[in-house]
Amino acid sequence: IDGLRAIAVMAVIGFHAFPKMSPGGFVGVDIFFVISGFLISTIILSHVRGDAFSYGEFYARRARRIFPALIVMLATCALIGWGVLVASEYKALGKHLLGAATFTSNFLLWRETGYFDIDADAKPLLHLWSLAIEEQFYLVWPLIFAGLLRIWGRRPNRILWAIVGGALASTLLMWILFPGDPLRASRVYYGTDTRASGLLLGAA
């Protein structure tokens, strides 16, 4: 898993640093989604089987893992922005800080897509769209997966096919929405429902 993470990181960095040499490097984000789906489902599975699964503890563990680094980064961006940005730019940064803090960055970035959108280089919190999708997925997946395990715990094949069916439905939605104008492409790129396929693949 750590090896796959290293490949994903190098692919994404290569894409941003040398886009012409590594045009498909953004697939590293999809690798991260698959890994996340696998890890989170493994945790839920082991706890449900041990009759020790707690939604409160699950979300508390996520908060302990994510919040410290996230708070430091957001505070740093807010302080630096206050010193170097003009009022209109700082207002835009404030919207992105709020989106990052509430894990809704993907929706915010999707709505901003268009002719008057600013360059990605001017959005220091752009990368948090993928974290937002993960956290939104984590809000509903423990409820669904734990429920499937309790209903079909003795029939794992049914659980597997349910997860695979969800992944296929997400992929189909992606293909239905993708053709056409750039706004629809942005909808697919930032959509939690269309990105759920990678997370569900990891779960499967």
Side-chain angles (χ1 to χ4, degrees):
I1 289 172
D2 285 338
L4 286 173
R5 282 175 168 159
I7 293 171
V9 169
M10 289 188 292
V12 173
I13 291 175
F15 172 70
H16 284 292
F18 311 103
K20 291 183 180 179
M21 294 177 60
S22 181
F26 53 82
V27 76
V29 177
D30 297 290
I31 296 174
F32 267 110
F33 282 152
V34 175
I35 293 172
S36 294
F38 170 76
L39 290 175
I40 215 69
S41 300
T42 301
I43 292 170
I44 296 170
L45 178 63
S46 63
H47 286 189
V48 169
R49 283 181 171 172
D51 201 25
F53 181 71
S54 164
Y55 294 106
E57 177 59 24
F58 174 83
Y59 294 119
R61 287 180 63 182
R62 289 297 303 168
R64 289 194 294 269
R65 182 169 179 232
I66 296 295
F67 282 4
L70 181 64
I71 290 170
V72 170
M73 185 185 65
L74 296 183
T76 302
C77 286
L79 288 171
I80 294 175
W82 182 76
V84 302
L85 299 177
V86 299
S88 59
E89 293 172 335
Y90 196 61
K91 182 179 179 181
L93 177 62
K95 287 184 1 185
H96 285 263
L97 287 168
L98 180 61
T102 57
F103 302 112
T104 56
S105 294
N106 57 322
F107 297 127
L108 175 62
L109 292 165
W110 168 26
R111 292 183 62 186
E112 286 182 348
T113 303
Y115 183 80
F116 295 103
D117 192 15
I118 62 175
D119 291 338
D121 292 345
K123 296 180 178 180
L125 301 175
L126 176 64
H127 62 289
L128 291 178
W129 69 268
S130 58
L131 178 63
I133 287 177
E134 282 192 357
E135 296 308 314
Q136 291 159 22
F137 180 80
Y138 292 162
L139 282 177
V140 297
W141 182 238
L143 300 171
I144 295 172
F145 190 40
L148 290 174
L149 289 169
R150 284 168 178 151
I151 295 170
W152 289 333
R154 297 180 182 274
R155 298 182 176 181
N157 285 344
R158 289 191 178 185
I159 298 174
L160 176 61
W161 283 115
I163 296 172
V164 170
L168 290 174
S170 175
T171 304
L172 180 62
L173 180 62
M174 184 188 303
W175 282 105
I176 290 172
L177 292 175
F178 184 73
D181 61 273
L183 291 179
R184 292 181 70 186
S186 179
R187 158 70 179 86
V188 170
Y189 189 82
Y190 291 121
T192 307
D193 49 3
T194 50
R195 286 290 189 166
S197 56
L199 291 151
L200 290 171
L201 179 61

